[in-house]
Amino acid sequence: MAAKGKDPQAPSPLDPQAQSESTAALLRELVAHLRQNRTQLREEWARRITRAQLLTAMTEEEIFAEATSVYDNYVEALETGTFEALQAYARNLSERIIPRGVETHEVVGIVLLLRDVLARSLFGKYHEDFDKLNRILDAYEPAANRVANTVAVGFVQERERIIRQQQEAIRELSTPVLQVRERLLILPIIGVIDPQRARQLTEQLLRAIRTNRAKVVVIDITGVAAMDSNVANHLVQTVEASRLLGATVIVTGLSPEIAQTLVTIGVDLSEMATVGDLQGGIEEAERLLGYKVVPLEEPVPKP
Amino acid sequence: MEVPILKQGLYLIASIQSALTDADLSALREALIERVGKYRARGVIVDVTALDVMDSFAVRTLRDIAHMARLRGAETVIVGIQPEVAFAMVQLGLTLKGVSTALDLEEGLAYLDRQGQERLERVRGRVTRG
């Protein structure tokens, strides 16, 4: 064996370059071993994944197919020492399995299992030469840890990216500014208002006032479950800022509970025009704009 | 920098073109109040579209202009406050209470016309009732 031939010239630990060369040689030998036993090790790994009840969201065939890809990528990363391909694969894998409900602990679990399976096979191969086993493990462990790290980090990053994307989508969905008539906007607010959302809401409304040249805005808060003094103050600020742009704001849909809370905590809403429900608010706005809505005349029945 | 003041019918229009120092603002206040009397203006429009910052002194001066002009018989409208400026102002608590605002020059003129109309009707009502 080629590696055995190199053994006698094993470098002293004081020579870093020679040592790294020997690490490279050991890794080469290791990779050759992993390639040789590919089928058997993959099967062992897939078995252990199933036994540990990881990846329960996937079928056995799928697990085996993914295990094969991960295995090959793993070996390749060990061989070349570059992690880009593995990183790309981990991202791609995460993208596929996250929607199916695969958890972080499962991904970390399977990568660690692979590491154990491979280490066990190394023990089996080199159990007679303890010194060599040690050196092989010295070469294997840092690389294997880096691989595990890469995959886990890739998964978590992908997950965070998806979460951020969804948050953004929810944010945008949740603040529609709608024009119901020439110069009349409505802004239905649904859900929890935190400072960040309040700020975004106000900015969006102010921009909409300018682009639509709105004169009256109806803010409907029927969908806001609870309100504290912070939220109330945000609301007052929104009303004030809209007025600076020349628009009148009517707030509608204050529930009895919210009305009670606001009075109890003593928020000054005297500057704010409030109307019971959205319909009343729109009617009031139409009056302010000089609209008059009349029903079509009943067709007179012919005698 | 001096702010040009234009006369347009019964109204005076002051269009601020760039950031003003406190002295410029005071000069604008003096000039406007003086001209309200000179031209017998019924309305004043201050256009702040070009301003991307509004500090407490500017806000106070604008409020003073509105109150002083009212005492001299003219209604004041501030027009063209940018959305970002409006947002910053309310966060700083500078809300121009008691001063009329409008989206832009066109809106401001429409507002003053409406105000004039209403005043006329009030006067007429008083005459007929009397």
Side-chain angles (χ1 to χ4, degrees):
Chain A
M1 275 204 178
K4 253 189 188 145
K6 274 183 190 163
D7 262 351
Q9 346 162 349
S12 72
L14 296 173
D15 187 347
Q17 196 185 347
Q19 193 172 11
S20 80
E21 262 167 37
S22 109
T23 306
L26 286 169
L27 273 177
R28 264 200 304 283
E29 188 182 333
L30 179 66
V31 167
H33 168 70
L34 296 182
R35 287 251 158 83
Q36 226 166 34
N37 298 298
R38 180 165 174 263
T39 315
Q40 184 214 328
L41 289 173
R42 255 184 320 161
E43 276 165 5
E44 167 67 11
W45 183 33
R47 232 188 342 269
R48 295 211 26 199
I49 292 176
T50 321
R51 209 179 319 141
Q53 297 198 322
L54 295 171
L55 298 182
T56 43
M58 294 163 77
T59 66
E60 227 153 282
E61 292 81 50
E62 280 176 317
I63 292 180
F64 191 70
E66 293 296 355
T68 305
S69 313
V70 176
Y71 187 92
D72 292 342
N73 275 291
Y74 194 102
V75 174
E76 199 191 311
L78 284 179
E79 184 180 29
T80 58
T82 57
F83 294 80
E84 281 82 17
L86 182 69
Q87 227 160 19
Y89 173 75
R91 253 201 305 278
N92 178 284
L93 174 70
S94 310
E95 219 170 288
R96 271 179 291 132
I97 61 179
I98 286 172
R100 309 187 50 179
V102 175
E103 299 289 336
T104 316
H105 76 89
E106 292 183 289
V107 170
V108 175
I110 62 166
V111 180
L112 291 180
L113 272 182
L114 177 58
R115 185 171 166 273
D116 295 346
V117 168
L118 300 188
R120 209 48 87 76
S121 101
L122 293 177
F123 286 134
K125 185 170 154 82
Y126 296 106
H127 67 278
E128 278 163 3
D129 186 348
F130 190 67
D131 189 42
K132 176 123 195 222
L133 174 62
N134 255 337
R135 269 182 288 128
I136 285 268
L137 285 179
D138 278 346
Y140 168 70
E141 277 166 356
N145 286 349
R146 235 187 112 190
V147 169
N149 204 356
T150 306
V151 173
V153 168
F155 181 82
V156 171
Q157 275 175 346
E158 178 62 22
R159 221 167 127 109
E160 280 169 359
R161 195 184 63 79
I162 290 178
I163 293 173
R164 264 198 306 279
Q165 212 174 22
Q166 288 174 343
Q167 268 177 342
E168 199 55 40
I170 292 173
R171 274 240 161 83
E172 271 170 29
L173 276 179
S174 63
T175 51
V177 183
L178 312 165
Q179 176 161 340
V180 281
R181 257 183 231 299
E182 195 74 12
R183 328 206 67 183
L184 167 56
L185 297 178
I186 57 174
L187 171 66
I189 304 180
I190 292 168
V192 182
I193 309 180
D194 53 26
Q196 198 201 349
R197 193 170 165 217
R199 187 191 175 88
Q200 198 201 9
L201 218 102
T202 311
E203 275 171 15
Q204 232 168 328
L205 177 63
L206 295 181
R207 259 198 299 277
I209 288 176
R210 197 171 55 169
T211 37
N212 296 314
R213 303 178 53 82
K215 285 227 68 121
V216 185
V217 179
V218 179
I219 300 182
D220 181 65
I221 57 167
T222 313
V224 179
M227 200 180 256
D228 56 15
S229 57
N230 272 335
V231 177
N233 283 330
H234 281 307
L235 204 57
V236 173
Q237 283 190 349
T238 309
V239 173
E240 287 287 349
S242 306
R243 193 188 73 88
L244 288 176
L245 262 67
T248 311
V249 176
I250 299 169
V251 180
T252 66
L254 279 114
S255 66
E257 294 82 31
I258 291 183
Q260 206 160 17
T261 334
L262 292 184
V263 173
T264 316
I265 58 182
V267 179
D268 180 21
L269 296 176
S270 56
E271 299 290 312
M272 219 147 72
T274 50
V275 177
D277 57 7
L278 183 60
Q279 183 187 347
I282 291 178
E283 283 166 6
E284 172 77 15
E286 284 167 341
R287 253 196 305 284
L288 285 175
L289 288 167
Y291 284 111
K292 192 171 157 196
V293 179
V294 288
L296 291 172
E297 267 177 51
E298 291 275 320
V300 185
K302 281 189 181 143
Chain B
M1 210 202 100
E2 212 185 292
V3 179
I5 297 173
L6 315 170
K7 183 174 169 297
Q8 154 74 41
L10 289 172
Y11 311 137
L12 294 178
I13 301 170
S15 173
I16 299 175
Q17 301 296 340
S18 64
L20 297 180
T21 64
D22 289 0
D24 292 334
L25 280 163
S26 303
L28 172 65
R29 185 185 59 204
E30 308 309 327
L32 267 176
I33 302 310
E34 190 235 304
R35 279 182 221 196
V36 166
K38 186 168 157 198
Y39 295 120
R40 315 190 62 228
R42 308 311 298 263
V44 173
I45 293 178
V46 183
D47 185 359
V48 297
T49 310
L51 289 188
D52 42 21
V53 185
M54 191 99 78
D55 61 12
S56 58
F57 187 83
V59 171
R60 208 182 73 208
T61 309
L62 289 177
R63 206 187 50 210
D64 288 353
I65 289 174
H67 292 169
M68 290 160 86
R70 187 168 299 144
L71 291 175
R72 306 263 284 160
E75 189 68 27
T76 301
V77 195
I78 312 297
V79 303
I81 298 176
Q82 300 295 320
E84 303 79 40
V85 177
F87 193 59
M89 282 169 68
V90 293
Q91 290 211 312
L92 295 172
L94 309 169
T95 53
L96 276 175
K97 274 214 173 79
V99 181
S100 304
T101 48
L103 191 66
D104 52 20
L105 189 58
E106 192 183 346
E107 288 296 316
L109 286 168
Y111 173 82
L112 288 177
D113 285 343
R114 221 159 40 237
Q115 288 283 310
Q117 205 73 37
E118 277 171 25
R119 188 153 48 181
L120 207 63
E121 276 160 23
R122 267 204 308 277
V123 173
R124 277 205 193 117
R126 220 175 291 153
V127 170
T128 35
R129 250 183 280 133

